[in-house]
Amino acid sequence: MTKIVVAVKYVPDATADRKFESDDTVDRENVDGLLSELDEYAVEQALQIVEEGEGEVTVLTVGPDDAADAVRKALQMGADAGVHVNDEAIAGSDAIATSLVLAKAIEKLEYDLVMFGMASTDGSMGIVPTLVAERLGLPAVTYGSEITVDGSTVTIRRDGDAASETVTAEGKVVVSVTDQTGEPRYPSFKGIMAAKKKPVDEWSLADLGVDAAQVGLDASGTQVESTAPRPPRTAGEIVTDEGDGGTKLAEFLASKKFI
Amino acid sequence: MPADRLMPTPESADLVALTRSIVDKELRPRVDEAERSHSFPRDVFRTLGRAGLLGLPYPEEVGGAGQPYEVYLQVVEEIATAWAAVGVGTSVHALSSFPLFTAGTEEQKERWLPDMLGGDQLGAYCLSEAHAGSDPAAMRTRAVRDGDDYVLNGAKAWTTHGGEADFYTVMARTSDDGGRGITCFLVPADAEGLSADVPEDKMGLMSSTTATMLLDDVRVPVERRVGDEGQGLSIALAGLDAGRLGIAAVATGVAQGALDLAVRYATEREAFGKAIIDHQGLAFVLADMAAAVESARATYLHAARLKDAGRPYGRQASVAKLVATDNAMKVTTDAVQVLGGAGYTKDFPAERYMRETKVMQIFEGTNQIQRLVISRHLAR
């Protein structure tokens, strides 16, 4: 019986036109949001683990009202239960503050294994899994590309550029998984209907015993100084072949350090 | 820009979201190559079936999803926005399961329907013959009772999924009593004597196989007869109104795809120093396209809601099929115009949309037949 908590994030659709608010936080109001695609891999791995043995998957998110959509999507995929930590005071929290909320919520749950995606598709920092592990006092194994559970032993393969390493962990552990673990499943109509009946708890900071002053924009350890839209794409450079086209192309590539 | 939809329930909105994600990840990346190489995407139907999208309008007890037509058709439209052949296939599959669902015995339904609706068994529908298209009562394919079997002989034309399907819903003549002499059979693909002729070399929908199915002394056990002898034509006609709505949804989807492409192109392409969408002459073409797409959608949804409410909807189904396919023909032709020379090349899908739409004015009852149906309703 493996009890898995999968922490997921509700993010602005990466294919949409994303913007920042005046306080340099991400605009979450005017862009459609969804369950971070990288987190779907963690949900998929958790589901596979409990399908092979026995267990339960609880999906946990911290976010505003709409973040319930991310929980629902994971429940539609097959997770058993959801927890949504929703409190206005959390708005603007950075990775460190968010990790406090996540850790407190995880402590309230029964679990053997905590899983994360490798990073969010909006912040792209990839540090929350280790921050949460530190707060929980647990080992963290990040960027796993293959995860197996045998009793209380978790085996994780990590693929680097030059070598792969296989790590085993006994007891509780925090794992983040990459997009190489296997394509996440689609929900099915049955999953959509079943999700309506699955339990979702909504918790506030008070439920977790977290003081509002410990989180939010002001309490965050990092502050975004400024944001600027990426400059529009400029027209490409056209190389006219006057007998020396090949040379010019090679020079261009060399100037960009491609060759 | 995806179509703006007002769905009746949260789960139906989730179904549309699920459809869009399958369409974006599984269909869009593959459609061009499949259309070029004429390859039938059998696995795509499995994916759609596993997600529950092939059995949407059927009750949950038989493996469906119990969704109203209002929802089912919008899912079909979303599929067709990316890949018309798969949209048509989804509609044809639903149509081929319809006779068993409406006229089959409980035992027959329990035995075959779940696999059909779950996508493991892909269906085809054999009504037309070479000389009996708009007038199916003129069909000649015969089924002669021989002990516990029927022996079928003949040829069924224009079979979508012909040669690819796992089962064929075949209408054949069991007596010479005109429209009352036709009977419905569920013929498995591996029945001896059943074969597909060389597929038609079509103008569009290249990835959807269309072939004449040849029946040469095909023995079909009595237990595979759907309904009574002589009920076949009424079973077939009962499914046609719903089938017409399916095609109306497919045509609307293709038109939406063409509109999206045209708007994207017109926003990026510049002439005389500004985007061509900022030239009023072209902007108005796009506005008319948008109006045509949205009125087609409203028209088929009206018919669907009548059906869902248990009201007669035959006339509205014909209106929807006529309006949606004629509008789609106009919209896809205009999309080629908006893209100009580029639209006439195979570098862009505009020309494909235009070719694909033409057949929709022809099949599931030509648009002339639809006008006949509508005018007869008016004369009542």
Side-chain angles (χ1 to χ4, degrees), chain B residues 211-277:
Chain B
T212 292
M213 293 307 294
L214 306 171
L215 297 117
D216 182 16
D217 281 338
V218 177
R219 295 192 85 84
V220 180
V222 174
E223 69 202 44
R224 285 185 165 271
R225 186 189 72 209
V226 179
D228 293 331
E229 278 195 17
Q231 277 192 338
L233 194 63
S234 58
I235 293 173
L237 296 181
L240 283 186
D241 283 340
R244 282 169 185 163
L245 290 183
I247 296 309
V250 170
T252 306
V254 179
Q256 178 74 50
L259 171 66
D260 293 344
L261 170 68
V263 169
R264 221 163 36 237
Y265 186 85
T267 312
E268 287 169 8
R269 165 84 183 179
E270 291 190 357
F272 306 103
K274 57 184 179 183
I276 60 176
I277 200 170

Side-chain angles (χ1 to χ4, degrees), chain B residues 261 265 335-352 354:
Chain B
L261 170 68
Y265 186 85
V336 173
Q337 191 70 24
V338 169
L339 268 71
Y344 199 68
T345 69
K346 296 199 172 182
D347 295 337
F348 292 86
E351 60 83 32
R352 170 162 68 79
M354 185 177 161

Side-chain angles (χ1 to χ4, degrees), chain A residues 189 192, chain B residues 11-19 53 56 67 71 75:
Chain A
F189 177 76
I192 288 173
Chain B
E11 63 267 21
S12 61
D14 285 342
L15 260 178
V16 168
L18 166 63
T19 308
L53 301 185
L56 289 180
Q67 289 297 298
V71 172
V75 167

Side-chain angles (χ1 to χ4, degrees), chain B residues 45-88:
Chain B
F45 287 93
R46 275 199 197 90
T47 303
L48 295 174
R50 288 207 183 108
L53 301 185
L54 291 184
L56 289 180
Y58 292 95
E60 292 185 61
E61 302 87 78
V62 292
Q67 289 297 298
Y69 252 65
E70 176 189 0
V71 172
Y72 158 67
L73 292 175
Q74 296 193 72
V75 167
V76 170
E77 191 203 316
E78 287 287 340
I79 292 170
T81 302
W83 196 338
V86 176
V88 169

Side-chain angles (χ1 to χ4, degrees), chain A residues 37 72 76 186-189 192-193 196, chain B residues 11 14 18 22 25-26 50-51 65 67:
Chain A
E37 284 168 334
R72 198 169 73 247
Q76 290 172 351
Y186 294 108
S188 67
F189 177 76
I192 288 173
M193 295 308 283
K196 291 168 67 174
Chain B
E11 63 267 21
D14 285 342
L18 166 63
I22 293 180
K25 285 178 198 153
E26 312 284 336
R50 288 207 183 108
Q67 289 297 298

